[in-house]
């Protein structure tokens, strides 16, 4: 394990070492001390390495992640795992706004609560939140899965496309074109796998499924008046 003190090394040098690791070292496990809320920690990783951040982070931690596993032993600021392609990001605490935004793949696990716009415009990412999520989550979500073990705020799934939303608790309100849907056996199978990979012991049978009513796909002349 390679241990880096961010206070001594500096953010730019740290990220450069993580990007260059395949060429400069055979270290595959990295531990980052003293993050102190710094922004853009471990961004743009594209190798199957493991990075453990021992503390809370600022904006865009693990953004654009590809293949790597990033675990944050604290809470994360806005935009964590933004535009993630693959790999996994696990947050032991809470996440601020738009966690997992525009994510194309991979797994984001938030063991606390997530703020507003969690999973906004998600494009294939899987997100598992152990706690609650805020308003406008999964806005314009295109594909992927959002699992919420707690409650969801206002306008859940507003204008979404084909993403699947699973919520165990209450939903304050549904957004435009988002409706509750039947939970079929294939959805229970998908959900069980997500809960297992998301390190969550909730039961799939306790959740409800939400998705698109598909009424916004085509132009309707009645809506023009």
């Amino acid at each position: 394990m390679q241990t880096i003190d961010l206070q001594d090394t500096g953010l730019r040098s740290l990220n450069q070492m993580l990007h260059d690791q395949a060429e400069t070292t055979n270290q595959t496990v990295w531990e980052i001390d003293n993050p102190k809320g710094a922004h853009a920690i471990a961004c743009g990783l594209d190798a199957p390495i493991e990075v453990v951040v021992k503390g809370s982070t600022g904006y865009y931690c693990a953004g654009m992640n590809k293949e790597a596993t990033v675990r944050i032993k604290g809470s994360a600021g806005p935009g964590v795992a933004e535009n993630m392609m693959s790999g996994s990001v696990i947050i032991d605490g809470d996440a601020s706004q738009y966690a997992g935004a525009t994510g194309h793949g991979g797994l984001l696990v938030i063991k606390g609560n997530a703020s507003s716009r969690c999973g906004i415009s998600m494009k294939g990412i899987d997100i598992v939140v152990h706690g609650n999520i805020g308003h406008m989550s999964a806005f314009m979500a295109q594909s992927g899965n959002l699992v919420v073990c707690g409650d969801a705020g206002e306008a859940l799934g507003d204008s979404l496309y084909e993403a699947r939303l699973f919520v165990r608790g209450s939903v304050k309100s549904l957004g435009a074109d988002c409706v509750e849907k039947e939970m079929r056996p294939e959805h229970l199978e998908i959900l069980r796998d997500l809960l297992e990979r998301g390190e969550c012991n909730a039961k799939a049978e306790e959740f409800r499924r939400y998705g698109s009513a598909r009424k916004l796909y085509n132009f309707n002349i009645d809506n023009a008046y």
Side-chain angles (χ1 to χ4, degrees):
M1 178 185 292
Q2 182 81 12
T3 301
I4 303 295
D5 190 323
L6 188 57
Q7 185 171 334
D8 296 333
T9 303
L11 180 63
R12 185 180 294 273
S13 297
L14 166 68
N15 282 340
Q16 191 65 59
M17 283 190 286
L18 293 175
H19 293 169
D20 294 344
Q21 60 81 33
E23 300 176 4
T24 60
T25 177
N26 61 359
Q27 291 290 341
T28 59
V29 181
W30 299 74
E31 186 175 84
I32 301 171
D33 293 336
N34 293 315
K36 294 185 176 179
H39 304 317
I41 295 174
C43 278
L45 302 183
D46 61 353
I49 62 174
E50 180 179 350
V51 178
V52 179
V53 183
K54 297 180 68 178
S56 296
T57 66
Y59 285 75
Y60 299 114
C61 180
M64 300 180 291
N65 185 57
K66 186 177 180 182
E67 297 190 61
T69 297
V70 179
R71 182 179 288 272
I72 302 169
K73 292 188 172 296
S75 294
V80 64
E82 186 264 348
N83 204 35
M84 182 161 73
M85 297 296 175
S86 62
S88 59
V89 177
I90 304 101
I91 304 165
D92 288 347
D94 299 324
S96 190
Q97 301 177 77
Y98 41 91
T102 73
H104 288 251
L107 174 67
L108 170 61
V109 179
I110 302 168
K111 295 197 171 181
N113 301 310
S115 187
S116 61
R117 298 174 176 82
C118 179
I120 185 173
S121 194
M122 51 194 282
K123 297 175 173 67
I125 188 175
D126 292 324
I127 303 176
V128 178
V129 182
H130 290 210
N132 307 320
I133 60 173
H135 68 273
M136 292 293 290
S137 290
F139 171 61
M140 292 190 71
Q142 297 173 35
S143 65
N145 299 283
L146 172 61
V147 179
V148 183
C149 298
D151 302 328
E154 296 177 340
L156 174 69
D158 188 274
S159 304
L160 87 167
Y161 292 81
E162 291 303 305
R164 290 180 289 258
L165 315 180
F166 301 99
V167 182
R168 185 170 64 166
S170 64
V171 176
K172 192 163 187 180
S173 67
L174 295 175
D177 210 41
C178 183
V179 295
E180 183 173 355
K181 293 195 166 187
E182 178 187 6
M183 182 78 88
R184 298 194 297 270
E186 61 265 32
H187 302 124
L188 289 170
E189 184 176 348
I190 291 170
L191 182 53
R192 289 190 188 103
D193 175 66
L194 288 166
L195 290 169
E196 181 178 356
R197 291 193 291 124
E199 303 175 4
C200 181
N201 58 8
K203 296 181 179 179
E205 291 78 9
E206 299 172 342
F207 289 76
R208 290 175 292 170
R209 181 172 74 99
Y210 301 88
S212 174
R214 301 188 176 99
K215 292 183 179 180
L216 297 181
Y217 279 20
N218 301 296
F219 177 74
N220 187 331
I221 190 63
D222 294 334
N223 295 331
Y225 296 97

